[in-house]
Amino acid sequence: MNRTDGLVRRVKARDTESNGGSSSSTANNADQEDNKVDKEDEMEDCDSKETRLTLMEEVLLLGLKDKEGYTSFWNDCISSGLRGCILIELGLRGRIELERAGMRRKGLCTRKIILKSDTPTGDVLLDEALKHIKETYPPETIQSWIEYLSGETWNPLKIRYQLKNVRERLAKNLVEKGVLTTEKQNFLLFDMTTHPLTDNVIKCRLVKKIQDAVLTKWVNDPQRIGKRMLALILLAHASDVLENAFAPLNDDDYELAMRRVRELLDLDFETESSKSNANEVIWAVFAAFTK
């Protein structure tokens, strides 16, 4: 499925001071965004830093079969969904933003992604995507970047932007965090590396967090739902893995949870993105998956 969207004000003095101050200000702004992400994560999730997961890792974990250690062969949505997670993570961390709407307001899906800060995030996948965005001119839309990062573009010049082996790389991250393990499984004609679940507590906590967000902790206002949680719910839906979080619920709770998710999907994303404290990148990703 937001930290501040304010512009960094640059004070024009001598050229040498301006250049040095600008890069310093941008880096400080990115650090502030990271600190805000950390604080919001702490409010939404009491996990230790060692087990805190990115949006991409959470969506993949929801999609993995616990014992088999791989995603459903029939799921053709998770690939693009994970790329949407990457863009939202960059938006949440203050690395990218949308171009200004202008006097004749453009729709979310037609506005281009603008680099806000090129300060590394420390996450290999995020930094790889950030590097591609930085090197691309003219800027591209959210929809285009989802296609480029997924490798689902007909433009041969854009194939180089594809992020390869994303699921495998995310699974290795989860192995390093002690959530998954690595095994080899034979499928008659080929061997495949799988990543069965080892830490059931982390996944159970993730599932319960999602269930609580749409049931016991439900607030009938998307602006009051944590941005990361809102993104997790809608991107898990776009990746066709949200069902896995709701499967353990009884029939009544399941129907209620799905009805509330549909309410989120039926929102006017353009309107929501224009509200105070909204992160436009998040709503633009939502719009790209529901258009």
Side-chain angles (χ1 to χ4, degrees):
M1 24 257 315
N2 310 313
R3 293 37 185 189
T4 58
D5 284 83
L7 296 175
V8 177
R9 187 172 183 178
R10 301 170 62 183
V11 179
K12 188 173 183 181
R14 293 192 302 268
D15 287 345
T16 54
E17 292 178 359
S18 176
N19 291 338
S22 173
S23 59
S24 165
S25 176
T26 302
N28 290 337
N29 186 56
D31 289 339
Q32 291 173 4
E33 295 292 349
D34 285 340
N35 289 336
K36 289 175 183 176
V37 171
D38 289 340
K39 288 179 181 178
E40 184 166 318
D41 284 349
E42 288 170 5
M43 292 174 63
E44 291 185 355
D45 190 353
C46 60
D47 290 351
S48 66
K49 289 187 177 181
E50 287 74 20
T51 56
R52 185 175 299 153
L53 309 181
T54 64
L55 278 175
M56 303 87 74
E57 291 166 351
E58 288 179 324
V59 168
L60 179 66
L61 187 56
L62 286 174
L64 285 174
K65 300 175 186 291
D66 293 356
K67 294 180 180 179
E68 293 86 345
Y70 54 84
T71 57
S72 170
F73 294 128
W74 308 108
N75 188 338
D76 58 357
C77 300
I78 194 169
S79 178
S80 58
L82 290 173
R83 273 64 175 189
C85 290
I86 288 173
L87 294 175
I88 286 182
E89 277 283 2
L90 290 174
L92 288 173
R93 298 183 188 215
R95 298 320 194 266
I96 60 174
E97 61 186 354
L98 292 189
E99 64 178 344
R100 289 188 177 184
M103 294 295 291
R104 298 177 63 181
R105 187 174 179 83
K106 295 181 180 179
L108 285 172
C109 293
T110 60
R111 292 164 64 190
K112 309 296 178 62
I113 290 181
I114 303 297
L115 184 71
K116 188 175 181 182
S117 168
D118 62 357
T119 304
T121 65
D123 182 284
V124 177
L125 277 172
L126 293 180
D127 290 341
E128 188 176 336
L130 189 63
K131 180 175 179 289
H132 291 327
I133 293 172
K134 178 182 178 180
E135 294 174 348
T136 300
Y137 187 84
E140 300 278 5
T141 64
I142 288 278
Q143 181 67 55
S144 295
W145 273 113
I146 291 174
E147 293 173 358
Y148 296 162
L149 298 177
S150 303
E152 297 175 355
T153 174
W154 292 100
N155 188 337
L157 299 178
K158 306 296 184 180
I159 291 295
R160 63 192 180 93
Y161 293 143
Q162 180 182 5
L163 297 181
K164 298 181 179 179
N165 304 317
V166 168
R167 271 177 270 191
E168 181 63 24
R169 292 159 75 180
L170 290 173
K172 287 181 178 178
N173 289 348
L174 290 170
V175 170
E176 292 176 1
K177 293 179 179 181
V179 181
L180 306 176
T181 188
T182 302
E183 294 180 357
K184 287 284 187 180
Q185 189 166 337
N186 181 268
F187 287 88
L188 296 179
L189 299 177
F190 61 94
D191 290 333
M192 185 175 79
T193 301
T194 60
H195 299 282
L197 187 68
T198 57
D199 189 340
N200 192 50
V201 173
I202 298 297
K203 185 163 186 177
C204 286
R205 190 177 297 159
L206 171 62
V207 169
K208 187 176 188 305
K209 182 172 69 171
I210 295 173
Q211 292 175 353
D212 287 347
V214 295
L215 293 173
T216 59
K217 296 181 180 179
W218 174 254
V219 288
N220 199 24
D221 179 1
Q223 298 297 330
R224 292 174 57 202
I225 301 175
K227 297 177 179 68
R228 185 168 291 274
M229 174 53 67
L230 182 65
L232 175 58
I233 293 171
L234 295 189
L235 266 295
H237 179 274
S239 302
D240 198 19
V241 299
L242 187 60
E243 174 76 18
N244 297 342
F246 293 162
L249 296 173
N250 61 51
D251 291 346
D252 290 341
D253 284 344
Y254 177 87
E255 289 299 325
L256 179 59
M258 291 304 299
R259 184 167 71 248
R260 287 173 171 170
V261 170
R262 284 193 293 272
E263 289 176 13
L264 295 177
L265 293 170
D266 289 339
L267 289 169
D268 184 332
F269 298 148
E270 298 282 350
T271 300
E272 297 300 326
S273 70
S274 64
K275 293 181 179 178
S276 62
N277 200 36
N279 186 310
E280 292 181 315
V281 172
I282 291 181
W283 294 103
V285 172
F286 296 166
F289 279 108
T290 56
K291 60 182 293 188

